[in-house]
Amino acid sequence: MLFTLQSVEVLIEPEPDRVELDGAWPRIGLGGRHLVRSGRYRLLAEKEGYRTLEESLEVTDASNQSFRFTMELRPDVLRVTSTP
């Protein structure tokens, strides 16, 4: 069964507090990468002060797949920066 798994990298900026890859079974993580079977998965990522990221991923038979996402600030968060 391990020979049917694909190496998938999921990069999210900024780094979320929590990440789920629904539908991934078995889910094996190795050094920031996930080994999953080909198919469609639902990615859910959460970080305080940011909108919840919900995306659909299509993992194919290709090797070393990479998915990149950027989380958006929630509109009710005010960020103030000042310089001396």
Side-chain angles (χ1 to χ4, degrees):
M1 182 164 102
L2 286 176
F3 297 111
T4 64
L5 300 178
Q6 304 303 321
S7 176
V8 175
E9 178 181 43
V10 178
L11 301 170
I12 304 171
E13 289 293 328
E15 187 172 334
D17 299 326
R18 184 174 79 90
V19 177
E20 287 184 23
L21 194 55
D22 288 345
W25 190 92
R27 188 178 352 191
I28 301 171
L30 295 170
R33 299 189 73 84
H34 304 275
L35 295 177
V36 296
R37 298 183 80 158
S38 296
R40 183 170 291 279
Y41 299 95
R42 184 175 143 260
L43 173 72
L44 180 69
E46 295 178 331
K47 182 171 182 68
E48 186 175 336
Y50 288 81
R51 293 180 187 216
T52 298
L53 176 69
E54 232 178 306
E55 294 287 339
S56 179
L57 304 179
E58 182 71 33
V59 177
T60 66
D61 291 332
S63 61
N64 296 320
Q65 297 172 67
S66 182
F67 298 91
R68 297 174 189 269
F69 301 98
T70 302
M71 297 185 76
E72 295 179 23
L73 276 171
R74 284 194 340 237
D76 59 338
V77 174
L78 176 64
R79 198 170 277 204
V80 178
T81 304
S82 66
T83 56

